[in-house]
Amino acid sequence: MKTVFVTVGTTSFDELIERVTTSEAVQALKARGYERLVLQVGRGSLLPDADSCPHVRLEAFRFKDSIAEDIKQADLVISHAGAGSCMETLGAGRPLLVVVNDKLMDNHQLELARQLHMDSHLLYCTCSTLTETLRTMDLSVLKPFIPGQPKHFANFLDKALGVQ
């Protein structure tokens, strides 16, 4: 069963939860073959129940010790633009659509999303463009994210400092 996992991390991002569960967004997901929607809603005031989204199997929870398994099992991850959520999803090799919270002050999240998008690792949008993005997105353009290799950097430092 094709699954979409939505995560807001430890924050509150009710607007994302509201938008992704609208009938228009659900229809866009259904048109792409997604049948299951798993929501991690964090500290938000919304916790949709299973029957609030007809036509898809809906599950929602606030927090777990780890969402690694949810990410691994997802065919698409829709996430807030938090660095931890982005890196965990990209590290797991899952397609990622980041929804930037444009209501945050000093929005550093947009910078991260924009750079990772320019490097073709993820797609991004805002809540107001989410449904259209779900309709038109092309996940085939995404390239795998290769995590940094700290050993190479450590070796470089050792050489530079004459430790080796």
Side-chain angles (χ1 to χ4, degrees):
M1 179 177 297
K2 274 181 80 173
T3 299
V4 176
F5 177 58
V6 180
T7 178
V8 303
T10 59
T11 66
S12 170
F13 194 3
D14 285 343
E15 188 180 5
L16 171 55
I17 302 303
E18 285 173 18
R19 291 291 176 125
V20 79
T21 56
T22 63
S23 60
E24 295 83 11
V26 170
Q27 283 308 115
L29 290 170
K30 285 286 291 179
R32 292 181 164 274
Y34 298 104
E35 302 168 297
R36 183 170 169 246
L37 187 57
V38 179
L39 309 173
Q40 183 269 317
V41 302
R43 290 181 295 173
S45 60
L46 297 176
L47 184 63
D49 60 20
D51 3 337
S52 64
C53 264
H55 313 297
V56 292
R57 187 170 143 203
L58 178 74
E59 301 165 32
F61 63 91
R62 291 197 181 280
F63 298 105
K64 286 184 179 177
D65 288 340
S66 171
I67 58 171
E69 196 58 35
D70 296 288
I71 290 171
K72 190 171 130 187
Q73 291 179 1
D75 298 286
L76 171 66
V77 175
I78 299 175
S79 175
H80 72 129
S85 297
C86 290
M87 294 299 111
E88 187 170 2
T89 301
L90 293 174
R94 308 316 302 153
L96 177 59
L97 171 60
V98 164
V99 181
V100 175
N101 186 348
D102 54 6
K103 294 181 176 53
L104 290 178
M105 300 278 281
D106 184 30
N107 197 350
H108 64 281
Q109 290 186 352
L110 177 59
E111 295 170 29
L112 175 65
R114 191 176 282 149
Q115 184 60 54
L116 289 169
H117 173 73
M118 288 185 339
D119 295 338
S120 300
H121 298 306
L122 57 77
L123 302 175
Y124 78 99
C125 64
T126 61
C127 285
S128 61
T129 60
L130 176 61
T131 301
E132 186 58 25
T133 302
L134 292 173
R135 286 188 187 120
T136 61
M137 67 184 177
D138 180 3
L139 299 177
S140 72
V141 304
L142 299 179
K143 296 177 184 169
F145 178 78
I146 309 300
Q149 297 185 342
K151 182 117 177 85
H152 293 306
F153 183 66
N155 289 341
F156 167 78
L157 277 181
D158 286 346
K159 277 184 187 170
L161 298 173
V163 177
Q164 278 186 330

